[in-house]
Amino acid sequence: MSALFPTYAKWDVKALKGEGALLIDEHGKQYLDFVSGIAVCNLGHCHPKVNEALKAQVDTLWHASNLFHLEGQEQVAQLLTEQSVGDYVFFCNSGAEANEAAIKLARKATGKHKMVSLTNSFHGRTLGSMSATGQDKIHQGFGPLLSEFTYVPLNDSAALKEAVTEETAAVFVEVVQGEGGVRLMNQEYADALAALCKEMNCLLIIDEIQTGIGRTGTRFAHEQYQLSPDIITLAKGLGNGFPVGAVIGKAHLKSSFEAGSHGSTFGGNPLAMAAAKAVLDEVFQDSFLQDVKVKGQLFLTQLEEALKDCDLIEEVRGLGLMVGIECKEEVASLIQACREKGLLILQAGPKVIRILPPLIATKEQLQQAVDIIKEVMAEKLVINGAQIQ
């Protein structure tokens, strides 16, 4: 009997070891891990440069508290600000913490409390980040949320314009909704969003927790929409599995996070900074990002071609190595069938398969995943009395 709270619907796989894009269970079975810790292990499992950085830091300093000047914090903050539109960084331990900090920063900086976020969004499970999340299933059972959030549909500029007023502190968005079904913002909506925030003098917060650190083929996904957010939130891929989150903010927000206004005991600790610096040194190379773009487009094209005649498929969509396959029926059994064949993938809602390969996955591994998915779809169609060419 487990002593754990049953907060997760665990798979029947005991993960013991990881090597690159592979996860290995207690029986020695190898899985192609296209979950990547839910967009966390962007450099795959046990990346040698991240491992070396952490091993060196373990023998130097684990923790000293944020009362001290820590060189690693300055190095990582410098990398993040040099490669973004932001000027200052706050470090924490997770995406939910980063989003919680972003909400506080926006409210304090503007003196306003109302916020607009998107239907089907996901921003975390703390009270504030859960309130920003536009999904009823995340809210159920926890009582009153922060009442100042209004939710509007993605890519509905009219609804956005109606919701944002002069009393709005910030609009809080993902440019690709991960948990919400791998749904992409369109450029027309992005342009309307930027213009509206400027017109109404409200902040733009972009949650890059799942989309950031190279996942979509650029450092941050919002770069591909020519957006310039006031606040960017990060986590997941930033530490490649070591817990770390960050908030990047523009210079005009500096005075709102003065000493004593916010904090995190473990945020920015030397171990997390060692991991994050090693990740950024690798991922933020132009050649690395270009490779992700090329592989992402190839993978999307291969999936579209393989599944074009499959009656189960509604749409294949994605950006970089963040891909969704929307189906006409619930996908839980399809995901289980892929797992049995050695491919680990996820759901994003009842009818969407979410695929998050490590950014270091080879073209051969991407093709292997396509072949497994096509095989599973074909078997499902046979069960349903149809066929796939």
Side-chain angles (χ1 to χ4, degrees):
M1 174 181 274
S2 174
L4 297 170
F5 271 115
T7 48
Y8 305 102
K10 292 182 181 289
W11 296 341
D12 188 22
V13 177
K14 184 179 288 186
L16 289 189
K17 187 178 180 182
E19 297 175 357
L22 301 177
L23 196 66
I24 302 164
D25 72 10
E26 61 180 324
H27 306 294
K29 180 177 179 178
Q30 293 188 350
Y31 298 86
L32 198 55
D33 184 3
F34 279 23
V35 173
S36 300
I38 312 183
V40 167
C41 300
N42 286 2
L43 291 176
H45 298 289
C46 297
H47 190 276
K49 292 186 179 179
V50 182
N51 281 12
E52 288 167 12
L54 269 171
K55 287 174 182 176
Q57 189 61 53
V58 161
D59 290 329
T60 305
L61 181 67
W62 283 36
H63 182 76
S65 101
N66 283 305
L67 296 173
F68 296 87
H69 293 281
L70 298 171
E71 183 181 9
Q73 290 185 0
E74 297 290 350
Q75 291 173 337
V76 177
Q78 188 72 24
L79 284 168
L80 290 173
T81 54
E82 285 176 351
Q83 302 294 335
S84 73
V85 297
D87 301 287
Y88 294 97
V89 179
F90 172 82
F91 289 112
C92 50
N93 306 291
S94 69
E97 284 187 38
N99 285 337
E100 195 80 21
I103 293 167
K104 289 178 66 176
L105 178 57
R107 288 168 63 128
K108 194 165 188 286
T110 63
K112 298 182 285 188
H113 303 146
K114 295 184 182 298
M115 292 194 182
V116 175
S117 60
L118 301 181
T119 308
N120 293 321
S121 59
F122 183 82
H123 299 292
R125 296 180 185 272
T126 58
L127 189 60
S129 61
M130 182 171 65
S131 299
T133 295
Q135 296 190 55
D136 288 340
K137 69 178 183 180
I138 304 297
H139 302 162
Q140 289 172 5
F142 295 104
L145 304 175
L146 296 182
S147 59
E148 293 86 352
F149 275 94
T150 299
Y151 312 116
V152 297
L154 176 66
N155 294 331
D156 187 336
S157 299
L160 180 68
K161 189 169 184 178
E162 184 177 347
V164 177
T165 71
E166 292 180 352
E167 295 181 351
T168 303
V171 182
F172 202 158
V173 301
E174 304 157 279
V175 298
V176 182
Q177 293 184 326
E179 300 285 338
V182 194
R183 302 185 188 280
L184 280 66
M185 182 179 290
N186 62 44
Q187 189 61 53
E188 179 184 356
Y189 188 81
D191 294 342
L193 172 63
L196 192 58
C197 287
K198 184 176 181 180
E199 178 188 348
M200 293 299 179
N201 193 31
C202 66
L203 302 181
L204 174 58
I205 305 172
I206 298 186
D207 179 335
E208 290 271 9
I209 287 159
Q210 191 163 150
T211 55
I213 318 300
R215 171 57 53 184
T216 64
T218 49
R219 290 161 181 79
F220 312 103
H222 68 262
E223 297 173 50
Q224 300 181 50
Y225 293 85
Q226 295 80 53
L227 289 169
S228 182
D230 298 279
I231 299 172
I232 304 163
T233 57
L234 298 171
K236 288 189 180 289
L238 181 57
N240 208 60
F242 199 97
V244 58
V247 178
I248 308 173
K250 287 186 173 177
H252 67 89
L253 300 169
K254 180 184 179 183
S255 62
S256 297
F257 258 12
E258 74 278 11
S261 61
H262 193 57
S264 171
T265 296
F266 298 110
N269 82 77
L271 293 172
M273 293 299 94
K277 184 177 184 303
V279 168
L280 295 178
D281 284 344
E282 193 73 11
V283 173
F284 279 6
Q285 296 180 53
D286 290 339
S287 58
F288 185 95
L289 293 167
Q290 181 60 28
D291 186 55
V292 175
K293 278 186 181 178
V294 170
K295 290 190 295 189
Q297 187 55 58
L298 175 66
F299 187 48
L300 199 60
T301 300
Q302 289 172 327
L303 282 168
E304 289 171 340
E305 179 64 25
L307 302 176
K308 66 181 180 180
D309 297 321
C310 180
D311 289 339
L312 288 173
I313 306 302
E314 195 72 50
E315 184 183 20
V316 179
R317 55 180 177 257
L319 192 64
L321 285 171
M322 184 175 183
V323 176
I325 303 174
E326 185 167 355
C327 298
K328 295 176 182 177
E329 59 182 64
E330 294 193 0
V331 299
S333 64
L334 299 172
I335 289 170
Q336 182 178 347
C338 285
R339 187 161 65 245
E340 290 169 357
K341 293 179 183 294
L343 173 64
L344 304 177
I345 50 180
L346 287 167
Q347 282 184 243
K351 295 185 178 182
V352 178
I353 294 170
R354 181 171 32 150
I355 312 173
L356 300 165
L359 306 186
I360 50 84
T362 65
K363 292 177 181 178
E364 291 75 20
Q365 288 171 327
L366 294 171
Q367 182 62 59
Q368 182 184 350
V370 171
D371 293 342
I372 292 172
I373 292 168
K374 182 177 180 179
E375 183 181 346
V376 166
M377 293 292 181
E379 291 173 355
K380 180 66 173 178
L381 283 170
V382 169
I383 292 170
N384 290 355
Q387 291 184 341
I388 181 173
Q389 299 300 319

